[in-house]
């Protein structure tokens, strides 16, 4: 139906006849001449109708925003002074000779021809219109270029694209499963995969050697952060490799992706041990563009009379850390109060600080409500340790280690943004040497990565599991985890040891993961892999504010689809077929659960 895309016409088409199809982006009537901006996925072309051709002129007069039309006309140079240098087609216009109305359109719920601050609910309800906006179309196009780039790269490196099932058994990645009832096996359920983890490992046992898949994963999590219940991973696994065999090609892939699609040369990827990342940045996904660091001061305050500091300083599970903010002395009382509220979100009970007015005056040159509790000696020692300068502000966190890390880690990032202290555009890194496990308050161990990650030392795993390090690695960019993976366990005995450490007894392990344990017995090669979060990668590359903006049809924060109204109720017959009887859930009980 068309000879060109609207966005594709330019000076090389002058005097040619073209046929364009698209949506009426805007219609203007200028002294008896009608201008239609015609839009398709490639851009916008200006089409002019004048009264010399009465029939198309009248049709053009009747079209409205978002009508679907086909036009035929001749490309000509725009009259001098009317060119639009901001538009790729801005040097030319089409003199319309024919117009066919292909479809009318109701008035859209929000204008598509200009930026308007529409609530996200409305955008999601009318997503098919929202996606018409050039900005959203451009993001989808970019995403498609990313996936095709990645496919080409991995194909070139002899990775094989293999699909794995969506109806499967639980794969533990630390979230709740989405369950699907089985009609043919009453009372039994499939789980949607939290990742293809076990299948890709089984493919290694099968000899696939190098696998990849752009795979949908499902995790029923509370969606506080910018997460989605279904999201896409670029999932990779390879046999006969060590850490380098995965990290090196993946780093190359990301580096070349940025070079090719964004013309960005990423700096070197430093490797940072997990313990160091937590110590210096309070986070295992540090934003290295921010030049602020946490400094431990527990030893300096362990014997002061100030319980708020000495308590955590003497607790093996506590931490006392300082965060020096150069020139932070300019912060107002109100700003400091706001930051105090901010760290409260992470469980911090307060936010102590010292203002450094004049270092040369010693204690006299400082200003803080806590100095009288800390005493001069400890205060001076802190000032020395953080190498305070005139004009600085020093914030403190004193609590359980994880509270301090989360609170000061988040504060560090927030200050970096608020005070405009971001250095450079891109700061990638690898975080390595993760612990195998995390201990909860009850002393129970949980896998930090997932239970299939290999330990650095089998002996350590046996004797001091809580301290054992794993062979896991995460790729981090600008404070966002882009991907993560590990070298896997490839022998049954070690796998059983990890299950045991996690409190999964042999019988349960057999029942849940019997197929994996069997596979490990039949000649499993050493192997490892990683998965990138595609949505986050595209979000970072496009500068979008949320992963919802790079997912064509995302769910809301409460995991619903406003457009299709999913999840929805099903009729009694379907439930009966599935042998399901619903327990009456009171509306307010439901509300409480969600709250
Ligand atoms: N399956 C892991 C995840 O989803 C990635 C990996 O270990 O390859 O995080």
């Amino acid at each position: 139906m068309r000879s060109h895309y609207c966005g594709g016409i330019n000076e090389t088409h002058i005097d040619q006849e073209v046929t364009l199809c698209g949506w009426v982006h805007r219609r203007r009537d200028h002294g008896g001449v009608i201008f239609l901006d015609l839009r398709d996925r490639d851009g916008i072309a200006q089409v002019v109708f004048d009264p010399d051709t009465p029939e198309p002129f009248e049709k053009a007069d009747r079209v409205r925003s978002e009508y679907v039309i086909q036009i035929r006309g001749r490309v000509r140079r725009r009259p001098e002074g009317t060119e639009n240098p901001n538009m790729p087609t801005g040097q030319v216009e089409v003199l319309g000779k024919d117009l066919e109305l292909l479809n009318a359109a109701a008035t859209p719920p929000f204008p598509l021809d200009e930026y308007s601050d529409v609530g996200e609910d409305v955008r999601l309800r009318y997503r098919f219109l929202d996606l018409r906006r050039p900005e959203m179309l451009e993001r989808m196009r970019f995403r498609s270029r990313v996936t095709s780039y990645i496919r080409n790269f991995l194909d070139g490196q002899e990775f094989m694209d293999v699909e794995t099932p969506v109806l499967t058994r639980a794969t533990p990645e630390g979230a709740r499963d989405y369950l699907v009832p089985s009609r043919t096996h009453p009372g039994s359920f499939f789980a949607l995969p939290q990742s293809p983890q076990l299948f890709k490992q089984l493919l290694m046992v099968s000899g696939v050697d190098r696998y990849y898949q752009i795979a949908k994963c499902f995790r029923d999590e509370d969606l506080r952060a910018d997460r989605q219940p279904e999201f896409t991973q670029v999932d990779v696994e390879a046999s006969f490799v060590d850490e380098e065999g995965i990290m090196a090609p993946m780093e190359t892939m990301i580096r070349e992706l940025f070079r090719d699609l964004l013309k960005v040369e990423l700096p070197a990827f430093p490797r940072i041990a997990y313990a160091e990342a937590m110590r210096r940045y309070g986070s295992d996904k540090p934003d290295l563009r921010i030049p602020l660091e946490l400094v431990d001061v527990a030893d300096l305050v362990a014997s002061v009379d100030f319980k708020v500091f000495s308590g955590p300083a003497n607790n093996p599970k506590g931490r006392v850390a300082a965060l020096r903010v150069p020139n932070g002395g300019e912060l107002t009382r109100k700003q400091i109060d706001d930051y105090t509220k901010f760290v409260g979100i992470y469980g911090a009970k307060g936010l102590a600080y010292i203002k450094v007015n004049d270092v040369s005056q010693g204690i006299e040159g400082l200003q803080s409500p806590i100095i009288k509790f800390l005493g001069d000696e400890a205060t001076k020692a802190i000032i020395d340790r953080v190498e305070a300068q005139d004009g600085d502000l020093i914030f403190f966190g004193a609590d359980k280690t994880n509270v301090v890390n989360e609170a000061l880690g988040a504060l560090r990032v927030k200050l970096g943004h608020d005070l405009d202290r971001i250095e450079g555009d891109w700061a990638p890194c690898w975080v390595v040497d993760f612990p195998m496990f995390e201990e909860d308050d009850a002393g129970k161990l949980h896998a930090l990565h997932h239970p299939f990650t290999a330990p650095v030392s089998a002996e350590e795993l046996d004797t001091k599991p809580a301290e054992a390090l794993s062979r896991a690695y995460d790729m981090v960019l600008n404070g966002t985890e882009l991907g993560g993976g590990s070298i896997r366990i490839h022998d049954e005995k070690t796998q059983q040891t990890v299950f045991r450490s996690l409190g999964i007894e042999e019988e349960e392990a057999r029942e849940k993961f019997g197929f994996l344990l069997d596979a490990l017995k039949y000649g499993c090669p050493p192997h490892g892999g990683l998965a990138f979060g595609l949505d986050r990668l595209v979000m970072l590359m496009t500068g979008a504010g949320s992963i919802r903006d790079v997912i064509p049809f995302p769910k809301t924060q409460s995991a619903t689809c406003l457009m299709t109204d999913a999840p929805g109720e099903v009729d009694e017959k379907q439930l009966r077929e599935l042998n399901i009887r619903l327990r009456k859930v009171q509306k307010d009980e439901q509300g409480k659960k969600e709250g």
Side-chain angles (χ1 to χ4, degrees), residues 6-7 9-11 25-26 28 36-39 43-47 78 82-93:
C6 298
I9 57 160
N10 55 43
E11 286 160 291
H25 188 67
R26 199 174 293 155
R28 278 160 295 146
L36 297 185
D37 284 347
L38 191 60
R39 187 191 71 236
I44 292 176
Q46 174 167 294
V47 190
R78 289 195 191 189
T82 66
E83 302 93 344
N84 184 347
N86 300 323
M87 273 173 89
T89 62
Q91 299 301 324
V92 294
E93 60 187 14

Side-chain angles (χ1 to χ4, degrees), residues 173 195 197 200 219 233 235-237 449-450 484-486 488 529-531:
E173 296 276 2
S195 84
Q197 184 61 35
K200 66 174 174 175
R219 296 185 191 176
Q233 281 190 346
D235 198 37
V236 174
E237 197 78 7
H449 197 54
H450 52 55
S486 58
R488 324 296 184 187
L530 131 166

Side-chain angles (χ1 to χ4, degrees), residues 212-253:
Y212 82 93
Q213 182 181 195
I214 299 192
K216 269 291 173 78
C217 303
F218 306 85
R219 296 185 191 176
D220 185 4
E221 297 178 285
D222 294 323
L223 305 177
R224 273 160 299 148
D226 192 16
R227 295 211 174 139
Q228 284 285 305
E230 65 175 295
F231 60 95
T232 310
Q233 281 190 346
V234 177
D235 198 37
V236 174
E237 197 78 7
S239 293
F240 305 107
V241 291
D242 56 13
E243 286 84 338
E244 225 42 57
I246 297 293
M247 294 164 81
M250 292 303 108
E251 191 175 310
T252 305
M253 181 173 87

